[in-house]
Amino acid sequence: MSEIRDDADARAWFYLDHQRDIETWADLREEGSELVHRHLLALAPAVEELAAELGAEPYDADLDRGERPRVGMRRVSWPRRDAGLVAVVIEWRPDSLLGIGRGDPWPYVAVRDDGAQADPTHMRGLTAAFSPLRSQLGGQTHTWWAFWSYVEPVEGPGIDPAALARDCVVRLRDLWVRSAPVVDEFYAGSHP
């Protein structure tokens, strides 16, 4: 006996009618995620060139391994504290790109304080200094980041990993131009 299908359940019926095909295609997400990850890893030379162009020094951490690879830049004049460095970065979680598992589905640009947990007073001050820029750009703050914002792919029929990587560099440049003066001013005060 065939059940009468209510139009309100059309999406559920579509899934049930095509479940095997949908799940087969969904299994390809990991391969797509790995391809995006490889394009992001390949950004290091472009970011080094950008750092040189902007009078900054390159910064990378756990680029070939680690839970959150990152590449970016910082000013030589920003203090090298025992607790860690402040840098403007592109960062991502390889294990969650494209929505795999829990975590960040996209790369993001951020102002990161590597010593945030070791020196919470410093991080609170830096986070406060970035409040106006977060409001202006719609960024967020969390644990190690005084500012962070996803770099999502341009809407369209698919995701182009090379275009997403290029957009990350463009967004890094923009964040640098806007955030380096904030960090400069923060360190010009009494924040070693």
Side-chain angles (χ1 to χ4, degrees), residues 43-135:
L43 287 177
V47 172
E48 285 178 17
E49 287 178 26
L50 180 61
E53 174 189 328
L54 296 173
E57 71 176 358
Y59 163 95
D60 61 56
D62 296 328
L63 194 54
D64 294 328
R65 62 196 178 334
E67 183 179 306
R68 292 183 188 271
R70 54 196 171 273
V71 60
M73 53 194 152
R74 61 181 314 281
R75 286 205 204 281
V76 174
S77 61
W78 294 348
R80 293 183 174 273
R81 305 173 355 262
D82 289 339
L85 303 173
V86 171
V88 181
V89 300
I90 300 167
E91 190 167 339
W92 64 98
R93 289 195 51 181
D95 63 347
S96 64
L97 283 171
L98 305 182
I100 294 174
R102 295 184 52 183
D104 301 305
W106 305 113
Y108 47 93
V109 291
V111 177
R112 180 184 176 92
D113 182 354
D114 287 342
Q117 292 190 343
D119 189 353
T121 302
H122 182 271
M123 184 59 180
R124 279 192 297 276
L126 190 61
T127 298
F130 271 90
S131 181
L133 192 59
R134 279 193 313 276
S135 295

Side-chain angles (χ1 to χ4, degrees), residues 105-108 149-155 159 163-164 167-168 171:
W106 305 113
Y108 47 93
S149 177
Y150 285 129
V151 180
E152 296 185 37
V154 176
E155 292 223 12
I159 298 169
L164 180 60
D167 289 348
C168 285
R171 290 278 302 279

Side-chain angles (χ1 to χ4, degrees), residues 32-52:
S33 174
E34 178 57 34
L35 184 59
V36 170
H37 174 63
R38 288 195 319 260
H39 276 80
L40 295 171
L41 286 174
L43 287 177
V47 172
E48 285 178 17
E49 287 178 26
L50 180 61

